[in-house]
């Protein structure tokens, strides 16, 4: 499988307001939508920005394009803005097919991935998305746009070990062996070891922050903080191909973070510590089985 992770240059900042509003009206012609678009048009056309440097502020200036970074509404507005671009890729019917359904693009806001079963198919998708991006005045960051090739599990079906470079906007795209997409590290072998190691480092980083700032809090407050900030393994359900030793390191890191934050000795009984705190054991927390 051939995959390309698309990176737009300042995607949210380059949104054309008036083109966005026209697309919103085309998407829904109801009176409620008309009123909402009218409100958004007034809001965006009258906003003022300034630059803050410590306690000083620059003079205000108008902004003629872009949706607000970090705004709750911005991903939805951007999805409407690039809807035609996504449809042009989907309607081409070029790419991977699963159970008769064409799955040639995955998109979350401006994070996109193109999928194709061949080098030629992926290049054709890149040509389509390049042409469609002109209509919405979007440009690509070809330095951060990368490609990945996932070899078949059956080595007898392997066609070639190396492929020519793919092109986007007249630039050669780099091939990589792994890529971080939506916070999850994807490896070309579909092994999750690297992503588990990433989660291990994040666990230690979050625990160290808690130790530095909240070491004198009560046990109840510490438990609330630890459950909120250290047990947020939202992508753990994606792990299915890993080595037992790697998941064992993550389980050990979990115990060490508990000992560090709650002040237990490293020689303390792990069972006693878990019972006193009322937190789940590692096997319950990481209830996944390796292949």
């Amino acid at each position: 499988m051939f995959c390309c992770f698309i990176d737009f240059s300042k995607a949210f900042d380059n949104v054309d307001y008036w083109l966005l509003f026209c697309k919103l009206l085309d998407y829904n012609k109801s009176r409620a939508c008309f009123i909402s678009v009218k409100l958004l048009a007034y809001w965006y056309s009258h906003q003022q920005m300034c630059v803050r440097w410590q306690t000083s502020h620059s003079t205000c200036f108008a902004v003629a394009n872009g949706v607000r970074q970090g705004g709750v509404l911005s991903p939805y507005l951007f999805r409407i803005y690039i809807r035609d671009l996504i449809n042009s890729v989907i309607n081409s019917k070029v790419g991977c097919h699963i159970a008769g359904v064409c799955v040639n693009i995955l998109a979350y806001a401006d994070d996109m991935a193109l999928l194709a079963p061949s080098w030629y198919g992926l290049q054709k998708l890149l040509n389509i998305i390049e042409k469609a991006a002109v209509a919405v005045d979007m440009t690509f960051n070809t330095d951060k746009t990368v490609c990945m090739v996932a070899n078949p599990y059956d080595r007898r079906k392997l066609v070639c070990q190396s492929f020519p470079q793919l092109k986007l906007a007249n630039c050669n795209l780099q091939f990589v062996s792994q890529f971080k997409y939506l916070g999850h590290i994807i490896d070309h072998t579909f092994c999750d070891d690297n992503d588990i190691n990433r989660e291990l480092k994040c666990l230690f980083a979050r625990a160290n922050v808690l130790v530095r700032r909240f070491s004198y809090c009560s046990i109840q407050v510490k438990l609330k903080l630890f459950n909120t900030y250290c047990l947020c393994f939202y992508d753990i359900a994606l792990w299915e191909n890993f080595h037992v030793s790697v998941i064992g390191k993550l389980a050990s890191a979990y115990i060490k973070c508990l000992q560090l934050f709650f002040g237990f000795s490293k020689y303390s009984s792990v069972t006693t510590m878990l019972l006193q705190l009322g937190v789940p054991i590692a096997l319950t927390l990481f209830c996944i089985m390796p292949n």
Side-chain angles (χ1 to χ4, degrees), residues 137-199:
D137 197 24
M138 301 292 293
T139 57
F140 302 97
N141 186 345
T142 53
D143 292 332
K144 294 184 178 180
T145 299
V146 296
C147 300
M148 183 184 296
V149 181
N151 293 329
Y153 288 118
D154 188 351
R155 306 295 296 179
R156 294 173 297 179
K157 297 181 180 179
L158 186 63
V159 177
C160 185
Q161 292 286 357
S162 61
F163 298 89
Q165 286 184 298
L166 293 153
K167 287 184 175 292
L168 179 65
N170 294 323
C171 295
N172 293 327
L173 301 181
Q174 179 185 3
F175 281 98
V176 296
S177 59
Q178 63 182 34
F179 185 78
K180 190 175 184 180
Y181 182 68
L182 298 179
H184 183 80
I185 296 180
I186 301 176
D187 192 274
H188 74 290
T189 62
F190 297 121
C191 180
D192 296 311
D193 288 353
N194 290 323
D195 193 62
I196 295 174
N197 287 324
R198 175 198 59 79
E199 196 64 63

Side-chain angles (χ1 to χ4, degrees), residues 87-287:
N87 287 337
S88 63
V89 175
I90 295 175
N91 295 332
S92 68
K93 301 299 182 182
V94 176
C96 296
H97 287 72
I98 302 175
V101 179
C102 183
V103 184
N104 55 7
I105 183 170
L106 303 175
Y108 181 81
D110 59 331
D111 294 311
M112 293 187 183
L114 302 177
L115 306 174
S118 66
W119 181 95
Y120 178 79
L122 184 56
Q123 183 61 67
K124 190 170 183 179
L125 291 178
L126 290 171
N127 296 337
I128 293 171
I129 200 172
E130 179 181 353
K131 183 178 179 181
V134 176
V136 290
D137 197 24
M138 301 292 293
T139 57
F140 302 97
N141 186 345
T142 53
D143 292 332
K144 294 184 178 180
T145 299
V146 296
C147 300
M148 183 184 296
V149 181
N151 293 329
Y153 288 118
D154 188 351
R155 306 295 296 179
R156 294 173 297 179
K157 297 181 180 179
L158 186 63
V159 177
C160 185
Q161 292 286 357
S162 61
F163 298 89
Q165 286 184 298
L166 293 153
K167 287 184 175 292
L168 179 65
N170 294 323
C171 295
N172 293 327
L173 301 181
Q174 179 185 3
F175 281 98
V176 296
S177 59
Q178 63 182 34
F179 185 78
K180 190 175 184 180
Y181 182 68
L182 298 179
H184 183 80
I185 296 180
I186 301 176
D187 192 274
H188 74 290
T189 62
F190 297 121
C191 180
D192 296 311
D193 288 353
N194 290 323
D195 193 62
I196 295 174
N197 287 324
R198 175 198 59 79
E199 196 64 63
L200 186 150
K201 294 177 182 178
C202 291
L203 176 60
F204 273 124
R206 292 191 291 262
N208 286 329
V209 170
L210 294 182
V211 171
R212 186 169 65 251
R213 298 183 179 180
F214 306 101
S215 58
Y216 296 105
C217 293
S218 63
I219 295 296
Q220 291 76 13
V221 173
K222 283 186 174 182
L223 282 172
K224 188 68 175 179
L225 290 170
F226 191 84
N227 291 331
T228 303
Y229 293 102
C230 294
L231 302 186
C232 50
F233 304 111
Y234 74 94
D235 64 343
I236 194 172
L238 299 174
W239 298 341
E240 64 173 17
N241 184 19
F242 53 87
H243 293 90
V244 177
S245 59
V246 179
I247 203 68
K249 291 179 181 178
L250 182 60
S252 299
Y254 168 65
I255 299 300
K256 290 179 181 178
C257 289
L258 284 172
Q259 294 172 339
L260 184 68
F261 186 41
F262 292 95
F264 286 91
S265 169
K266 65 178 180 179
Y267 301 108
S268 302
S269 171
V270 174
T271 303
T272 303
M273 177 183 66
L274 296 176
L275 288 174
Q276 289 181 2
L277 297 176
V279 295
I281 63 174
L283 290 179
T284 302
L285 189 62
F286 310 118
C287 52

Side-chain angles (χ1 to χ4, degrees), residues 12 43-44 67-77:
F12 280 22
W43 179 25
Y44 275 97
V67 292
R68 294 173 180 268
Q69 292 281 352
V72 177
L73 192 59
S74 296
Y76 173 79
L77 295 176

